[in-house]
Amino acid sequence: MKSFYKFESKFFEPSFGYWLKKIKPKFSDRIADIGCGNGQLLYEFFASGFQDLHGFDPFIEEENRISPSLTIWKKRIEESDLKFDLIMMHHSFEHMPDPFDILKACFEKLKPGGRLLIRTPVSDAQIWKDEGVFWVQLDAPRHLMIPSTKGMVAIAKKAGFILDEIEFDSSEFQFWGTELYKKGLALDPKLIGKNFAKEEIDAFKEKALQYNQEGKGDQVCFYFRKQD
């Protein structure tokens, strides 16, 4: 991770490097991951040298203090007394019953100048317009709401945040997952090889890249900041 920070080389880049490049948290920063599940991402941060990591997920079986540097809390971030330099939500925002409440909670839990990173599906995606109810990212009833990019920026601004950047990061999943649903099949990666030729998957990847470049992809990474 130190080499990645120093040289920004693809050789050292972790799988989550594209957004890590933008925010470059310090190893000493206090970082929270909301909806962290088993804490896999935070564990990768921990193994990379980050020293103050906290996961929040009220639906895990039990609290887990992996080390003095990494704790997975069985509670909501609103219940914590800590303040953070960076708060992340990787595809957990769309599972929240009240988006404004969680944004306000994040604002209150961030230190001045702290950053909020949210990765989520967006409802102004081209595939939603083209495929309607077959769009794989609808994922009802687990997804309680899916914001538009404009709506997300507006509600975050209302909560007090400044928008630094919007980055589309959708993948070929939007296409093969949707096609499986259209065929009446389960959403199972094992079915990819049985239903799509390599050329089709390559075409899906190319189309996803094109949609991202055109601002029409089905998921987005929002970079927000709390003013100093």
Side-chain angles (χ1 to χ4, degrees):
M1 186 62 72
K2 291 178 181 177
S3 297
F4 170 63
Y5 270 18
K6 185 174 181 179
F7 302 110
E8 293 193 6
S9 167
K10 294 289 288 186
F11 180 80
F12 299 110
E13 182 174 302
S15 59
F16 45 84
Y18 84 90
W19 50 262
L20 195 65
K21 279 181 183 177
K22 301 285 179 70
I23 52 178
K24 279 193 173 178
K26 298 191 292 289
F27 288 100
S28 59
D29 279 352
R30 180 173 289 158
I31 300 172
D33 187 9
I34 297 176
C36 65
N38 65 7
Q40 177 64 35
L41 176 60
L42 287 175
Y43 186 81
E44 292 179 29
F45 270 54
F46 167 67
S48 298
F50 290 92
Q51 303 157 11
D52 199 350
L53 303 165
H54 302 264
F56 294 92
D57 197 324
F59 299 105
I60 58 176
E61 290 187 8
E62 60 183 2
E63 190 170 297
N64 187 4
R65 186 170 175 80
I66 296 171
S67 89
S69 299
L70 172 56
T71 303
I72 307 300
W73 302 95
K74 183 179 168 58
K75 61 183 178 182
R76 297 169 62 86
I77 195 170
E78 297 93 319
E79 302 173 80
S80 174
D81 295 327
L82 300 174
K83 296 282 187 177
F84 299 92
D85 299 286
L86 169 65
I87 296 176
M88 309 181 293
M89 281 187 270
H90 297 277
H91 291 274
S92 58
F93 181 76
E94 60 269 25
H95 298 267
M96 304 291 176
D98 192 319
F100 184 68
D101 281 358
I102 189 62
L103 287 172
K104 283 297 292 181
C106 289
F107 188 84
E108 291 167 4
K109 296 299 179 182
L110 277 172
K111 300 175 185 178
R115 288 162 296 173
L116 172 65
L117 182 146
I118 299 178
R119 298 176 61 229
T120 180
V122 286
S123 61
D124 36 8
Q126 185 63 45
I127 194 167
W128 163 236
K129 298 173 184 176
D130 293 341
E131 303 293 353
V133 296
F134 292 107
W135 178 35
V136 66
Q137 295 265 35
L138 283 181
D139 201 11
R142 297 192 321 120
H143 288 178
L144 302 181
M145 59 85 200
I146 299 177
S148 67
T149 51
K150 184 178 179 180
M152 185 71 182
V153 172
I155 195 173
K157 182 178 180 181
K158 184 179 177 182
F161 285 103
I162 297 169
L163 174 69
D164 284 334
E165 187 176 350
I166 296 175
E167 184 171 19
F168 284 81
D169 68 350
S170 58
S171 72
E172 67 275 13
F173 167 66
Q174 63 188 301
F175 302 115
W176 66 254
T178 298
E179 288 299 317
L180 287 180
Y181 279 169
K182 288 170 69 176
K183 294 179 180 183
L185 299 174
L187 186 62
D188 185 349
K190 295 177 183 177
L191 297 176
I192 297 176
K194 298 177 182 178
N195 288 273
F196 307 103
K198 180 181 182 300
E199 292 77 13
E200 289 179 285
I201 297 298
D202 289 342
F204 289 159
K205 291 179 180 179
E206 186 67 26
K207 192 174 182 180
L209 179 60
Q210 177 187 339
Y211 275 12
N212 287 340
Q213 292 172 341
E214 296 174 352
K216 300 191 298 187
D218 77 333
Q219 61 185 44
V220 166
C221 182
F222 293 94
Y223 301 85
F224 295 112
R225 176 170 44 92
K226 182 176 181 177
Q227 192 165 12
D228 292 338

